Amino acid sequence: MEWKHEELPYLISDDKQLLDKEQICGWLQTTYWASERSKEMIVKGIENSLCFGLYGENRLAGFVRVVSDYATFSWVCDVYIDPAHRGLGLGKWLMEVMVEHPQIRHTNMTLATRDAHGLYEQYGFERREMMRRMVDSK
């Protein structure tokens, strides 16, 4: 599916074929939540998730990934807007499109953040979470 911004020259697509995985890996490896992930791990996560690319001037400007069973649960992760495109409301628009996506809008959604609580609360997310961290299988 594809969504065009009403006022700005941006669009959002859930077509993973359009994603620039190199760009996404570069972005995520600079974040506090994904800096320790390998490129291979990031790419595998993209391949096994519902992903949204935000594009401006035919270039990737933002990204969000959703892990879901498409029945009851969705985990929203890896939300990122390129710094050159911040301050235009694009993160809000990306969230609006994502939470209303027909494949997941009926699911319970969760996410974790250190610094963007205000943004996510606008879309019904609450500040409570329990999480089990990945354990080393060695």
Side-chain angles (χ1 to χ4, degrees):
M1 296 177 69
E2 191 173 285
W3 300 262
K4 291 186 180 188
H5 197 281
E6 293 178 5
E7 300 168 8
L8 300 171
Y10 289 89
L11 69 88
I12 295 172
S13 175
D14 63 3
D15 182 352
K16 285 191 272 191
Q17 303 274 343
L18 301 176
L19 294 172
D20 181 342
K21 292 177 186 168
E22 290 291 325
Q23 181 68 57
I24 294 167
C25 289
W27 285 340
L28 294 181
Q29 289 175 332
T30 68
T31 67
Y32 69 82
W33 67 87
S35 62
E36 295 183 13
R37 289 186 214 160
S38 67
K39 182 177 173 182
E40 294 76 20
M41 189 181 291
I42 292 170
V43 169
K44 187 171 185 176
I46 291 169
E47 291 169 353
N48 292 294
S49 302
L50 173 63
C51 298
F52 298 81
L54 167 67
Y55 302 90
E57 299 174 1
N58 296 320
R59 298 189 63 195
L60 194 62
F63 175 74
V64 65
R65 182 170 71 90
V66 182
V67 179
S68 185
D69 66 4
Y70 298 100
T72 61
F73 178 78
S74 295
W75 173 42
V76 180
C77 51
D78 296 338
V79 181
Y80 191 90
I81 303 295
D82 185 288
H85 300 271
R86 292 180 187 166
L88 301 172
L90 297 171
K92 291 179 181 181
W93 182 48
L94 188 57
M95 289 301 298
E96 288 170 16
V97 167
M98 186 273 303
V99 299
E100 290 301 322
H101 192 280
Q103 289 184 296
I104 59 171
R105 69 175 163 225
H106 60 280
T107 64
N108 292 314
M109 295 182 188
T110 190
L111 61 79
T113 186
R114 273 193 216 162
D115 56 5
H117 299 95
L119 169 66
Y120 301 120
E121 286 171 340
Q122 294 176 50
Y123 301 96
F125 290 89
E126 300 172 6
R127 292 186 198 208
R128 57 184 173 153
E129 174 90 21
M130 245 176 120
M131 181 177 192
R132 179 178 183 267
R133 296 266 178 212
M134 179 173 46
V135 294
D136 192 355
S137 61
K138 292 181 186 176

